[in-house]
Amino acid sequence: MTPSLTGSLEAATPDADAGVELTFTVRNEGTDTVTLQFTDACKADFAVADEETGREVWRFTDGRMFAQLLSADELEPGEATTYEAEWETPKSGEFTVVAELRARETTCEARTALSV
């Protein structure tokens, strides 16, 4: 059985001098409880690509290390959980942001446009 997960992504710039806050929401749209199993402390990854060239300009996991630990998030039917990141030094331009769940044997991603 494949879990019925849907994802949504919001990108917000609360202050012109601040970074871009990214919020990835994963919702269980199915009728059974879903257990998301993770192998490290990073549960979701975020990437920003230049809208014009398609070239990736930032990725949350680049240059970071995450503790290796087994963990799990359970989502009851209709329940959602969120994962957050911040693009601290955004460039000006038009971008596509992609968030991807890093759970084992489960996929879920979301995309949104971003103008900085």
Side-chain angles (χ1 to χ4, degrees):
M1 175 185 69
T2 303
S4 298
L5 299 176
T6 59
S8 62
L9 177 61
E10 292 182 26
T13 51
D15 182 327
D17 296 327
V20 177
E21 295 175 359
L22 305 169
T23 305
F24 178 37
T25 302
V26 176
R27 179 174 300 282
N28 178 4
E29 299 290 354
T31 57
D32 296 319
T33 300
V34 174
T35 302
L36 305 173
Q37 297 180 357
F38 302 96
T39 59
D40 64 25
C42 183
K43 296 181 177 185
D45 198 6
F46 299 80
V48 177
D50 183 284
E51 184 72 30
E52 187 175 307
T53 65
R55 188 176 63 77
E56 189 174 289
V57 296
W58 178 82
R59 179 172 288 273
F60 175 70
T61 55
D62 281 354
R64 298 176 189 251
M65 296 179 67
F66 299 93
Q68 291 186 340
L69 66 129
L70 299 177
S71 65
D73 289 348
E74 274 197 0
L75 293 177
E76 299 293 330
E79 188 177 18
T81 188
T82 58
Y83 305 101
E84 299 176 343
E86 182 180 358
W87 182 17
E88 295 174 355
T89 55
K91 302 176 181 187
S92 296
E94 301 297 319
F95 303 96
T96 299
V97 184
V98 179
E100 183 177 11
L101 189 65
R102 291 179 33 132
R104 289 184 9 192
E105 301 176 17
T106 306
T107 60
C108 184
E109 74 172 33
R111 297 173 179 269
T112 192
L114 171 65
S115 181
V116 178

